[in-house]
Amino acid sequence: MKERNTNAILEQGMSGGSCTCGELRKAARAITLLYDNAFKSSGLLSTQLGVLDFISNNDSIRISDLAKKQGLDRTTLTRNLSVLERQGFIKISSGKDHRTRIVTATQKGRSAVAKALPLWNEVQVKVKQQMGENSWRELMQNLGHFVTVADQLINQN
């Protein structure tokens, strides 16, 4: 690309107002920090609580099924699960088919979730109060719709 074209493109910049990706990432960082601080004493991070809570509410689950339920890539989930396993919160074992991996929450994991949930509930209530119930509900609906739109756009490529 010629320097003149490069300069023209750079001068134009990112059109269309705020960058959707940048704003969502900024919001994700802020809310993650808020929730992480709220239940730091439980030993869990906000990124771990949702996964461990789901596992704790199932006797056992295949990693591939868990990835689908959590909306995560299997390799990303496997990496995150290895941290929970090292901390003693979960146990990963082979299924009937040795290619299948099964995840089960340990008593230590279930106890960590039980310690974190009241703290999670406190911060959840505060967020809803600050935003207002209707604004919060609308945000949740819009985020769900956004995920659907993003998935559709990804599948078009």
Side-chain angles (χ1 to χ4, degrees), residues 35-36 38-46 48-50 52-53 108-124:
Y35 277 71
D36 282 351
F39 49 84
K40 185 182 284 188
S41 64
S42 74
L44 293 173
L45 298 171
S46 58
Q48 297 171 323
L49 178 59
L52 190 53
D53 179 56
K108 180 180 178 182
R110 293 172 57 78
S111 294
V113 170
K115 186 175 182 180
L117 285 178
L119 302 170
W120 177 90
N121 279 313
E122 283 179 33
V123 74
Q124 185 77 357

Side-chain angles (χ1 to χ4, degrees), residues 5 12 24 30 37 41-42 55-56 62 71 76 79 85 88 102 111 116 131 137 141 144:
N5 291 343
Q12 181 182 2
L24 283 171
N37 286 338
S41 64
S42 74
I55 295 167
S56 294
R62 294 180 334 161
T76 301
R79 206 170 35 250
E85 186 177 36
I102 306 294
S111 294
M131 287 188 73
R137 192 174 318 286
Q141 290 170 344

Side-chain angles (χ1 to χ4, degrees), residues 54 58 61-72 77:
F54 190 88
N58 291 276
I61 187 167
R62 294 180 334 161
I63 289 178
S64 55
D65 293 338
L66 181 60
K68 286 179 192 170
K69 300 275 187 196
Q70 294 287 305
L72 294 169
L77 177 62

